[in-house]
């Protein structure tokens, strides 16, 4: 099978979409499929192109048996609503010649395009039609809904126009998949018929992410004692996460001297968050860690924190959740009780209302004092990851059935 994968983010981007796109492409190549990837140079979440790449030139490389084509990309240093649109449009424009050429000359059996960005969907659809292959849109994040619900874009007329275009596009793909049941329901509301809707969750590499049997080496390296209870947030620091609530909870828990907060990652909101946390001795910020240290990082946590804004609920299922649970640690999530995240977390952690730092502080303080409860919830978290998100099973179901 020939598979053309269209994705803005790809390995070595330290983001969920880049991770899953890379792992899927390499898995297909290992199965004997021919895989071509059309993507951008790595730039996320720092919003700065990796110095080994160029933002303005095309580049072709072979990565783990995958034919990877990098396209020029505009990357704003300070992303705003308009600059984000220009950023996404630049990739849609620069990738267009490659997609059309691949459709006409390479003739893929499947054209698999990842949203975000939706901007690439029309060209991917056309490439599939030109080559006689099947078209597959995979929604990791309802970016259009999120952009307006979070106030990144504000025009009501623009929203109506863009949502209408999104519905028109989605109904023309042979298959439209997404990562959670609630997001699947949203696809139905957007007019995607049942026979074309597919649940394709994010996975976890269960042999790579495992509960640590010894103390994480990062605990010593970063100056934590055995008695410290570490609350970890690791991932993008953007608008959808609502990380301000975690900082305020840390402020309220300042008297709990054993409770330490680690915010590990990067993103557009990080400078603002560091300013808000200034003077709090129980919070440290760390950069994103390389993939080879991911298991040590996750194992550093005694408690994982998963903040989410109320207006982002069920627009995305945070990709970091699968690895959190696979690490065998409890999760405290700030989400509505009826959301998909709450359904998952309630048996292996604590769910508190979004935007409520007092409730978050109470849940974290409770778990900090209950080592046996943390252990029991962690066992259940690992069990859930094994039951729901095994990589081999999910990829085989998606591509071989």
């Amino acid at each position: 099978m020939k598979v053309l994968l269209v994705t803005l983010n790809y390995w070595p981007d330290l983001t969920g979409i880049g991770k899953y796109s890379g792992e899927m492409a390499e898995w297909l190549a290992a199965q004997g499929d021919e895989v071509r990837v059309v993507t951008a140079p790595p730039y996320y979440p720092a919003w700065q192109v990796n110095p080994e790449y160029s933002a303005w030139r095309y580049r072709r490389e072979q990565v783990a048996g995958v034919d990877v084509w990098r396209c020029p990309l505009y990357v704003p240093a300070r992303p705003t609503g308009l600059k984000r649109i220009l950023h996404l449009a630049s990739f849609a424009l620069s990738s267009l010649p490659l997609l059309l050429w691949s459709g006409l000359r390479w003739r893929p059996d499947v054209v698999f395009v990842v949203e975000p960005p939706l901007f690439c969907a029309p060209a991917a659809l056309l490439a599939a039609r030109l080559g006689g292959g099947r078209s597959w849109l995979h929604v990791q994040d309802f970016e259009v809904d999120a952009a307006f619900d979070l106030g990144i874009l504000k025009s009501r007329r623009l929203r109506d126009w863009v949502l209408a275009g999104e519905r028109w596009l989605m109904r023309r793909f042979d298959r439209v998949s997404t990562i959670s049941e609630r997001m699947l329901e949203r696809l139905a509301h957007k007019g995607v018929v049942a026979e074309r809707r597919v649940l394709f969750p994010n996975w976890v590499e269960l042999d790579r992410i495992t509960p640590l049997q010894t103390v994480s080496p990062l605990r010593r390296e970063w100056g934590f004692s055995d008695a410290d209870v570490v609350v970890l947030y690791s991932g993008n620091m953007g608008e959808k996460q609502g990380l301000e609530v975690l900082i305020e909870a840390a402020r309220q828990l300042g008297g709990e001297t054993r409770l330490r907060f680690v915010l590990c990652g990067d993103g557009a909101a990080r400078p603002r968050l560091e300013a808000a946390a200034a003077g709090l001795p129980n919070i440290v910020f760390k950069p994103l860690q390389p993939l080879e240290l991911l298991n040590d990082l996750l194992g550093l946590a005694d408690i994982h924190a998963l903040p989410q804004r109320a207006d982002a609920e069920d627009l995305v299922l945070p990709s970091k959740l699968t690895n959190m649970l696979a690490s065998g640690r409890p999760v405290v999530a700030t989400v509505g009780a009826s959301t998909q995240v709450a359904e998952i977390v309630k048996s292996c952690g604590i769910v508190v209302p979004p935007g409520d730092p007092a409730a978050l502080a109470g849940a974290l303080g409770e778990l900090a004092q209950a080592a046996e409860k943390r252990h029991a919830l962690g066992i259940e978290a690992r069990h859930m990851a094994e039951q729901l998100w095994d990589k081999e099973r999910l990829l085989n179901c998606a591509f071989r059935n």
Side-chain angles (χ1 to χ4, degrees), residues 169-186:
L169 272 173
M170 284 183 169
R171 291 198 295 267
R172 278 152 181 80
F173 277 84
D174 295 312
R175 175 179 288 187
V176 183
S177 60
T178 193
I179 60 176
S180 77
E181 292 286 356
R182 299 295 169 78
M183 294 173 74
L184 205 64
E185 293 171 7
R186 191 174 287 259

Side-chain angles (χ1 to χ4, degrees), residues 333-378:
T334 67
V335 293
S338 63
T339 61
Q340 183 91 53
V341 173
E343 288 296 313
I344 294 169
V345 170
K346 66 183 182 182
S347 64
C348 55
I350 299 177
V351 175
V352 299
D356 188 341
L360 177 58
L364 294 173
E366 173 190 336
L367 284 181
Q369 302 297 326
E372 290 186 4
K373 182 175 182 179
R374 294 199 306 269
H375 179 70
L377 291 173

Side-chain angles (χ1 to χ4, degrees), residues 73-216:
L73 181 72
Y74 162 63
V75 181
R78 296 173 179 262
T80 61
L82 177 59
K83 288 180 179 179
R84 286 174 187 268
I85 291 175
L86 294 175
H87 161 72
L88 298 175
S90 72
F91 177 65
L93 183 62
S94 67
S95 64
L96 178 61
L98 280 177
L99 294 181
L100 298 184
W101 178 78
S102 294
L104 284 168
R105 298 296 301 273
W106 194 57
R107 303 183 68 82
D109 299 297
V110 177
V111 178
F112 186 107
V113 58
V114 180
E115 181 191 353
L118 187 65
F119 276 116
C120 293
L125 190 60
L126 181 56
R129 296 290 186 268
L130 290 173
R134 291 177 61 81
S135 56
W136 185 341
L137 174 65
H138 180 59
V139 182
Q140 283 277 3
D141 183 336
F142 284 105
E143 59 173 331
V144 175
D145 294 347
F148 288 102
D149 290 350
L150 296 174
I152 297 172
L153 298 175
K154 302 181 186 299
S155 168
R156 180 56 187 247
R157 179 176 296 180
L158 178 62
R159 177 175 187 152
D160 291 343
W161 183 80
V162 173
L163 288 175
E166 180 192 49
R167 288 193 296 271
W168 185 88
L169 272 173
M170 284 183 169
R171 291 198 295 267
R172 278 152 181 80
F173 277 84
D174 295 312
R175 175 179 288 187
V176 183
S177 60
T178 193
I179 60 176
S180 77
E181 292 286 356
R182 299 295 169 78
M183 294 173 74
L184 205 64
E185 293 171 7
R186 191 174 287 259
L187 286 180
H189 294 317
K190 291 178 180 291
V192 181
V193 296
E195 56 268 26
R196 297 188 181 190
R197 297 194 306 267
V198 178
L199 179 65
F200 184 18
N202 289 330
W203 55 84
V204 63
E205 294 184 290
L206 293 168
D207 56 346
R208 175 178 290 181
I209 307 300
T210 61
L212 291 183
Q213 302 304 312
T214 58
V215 174
S216 169

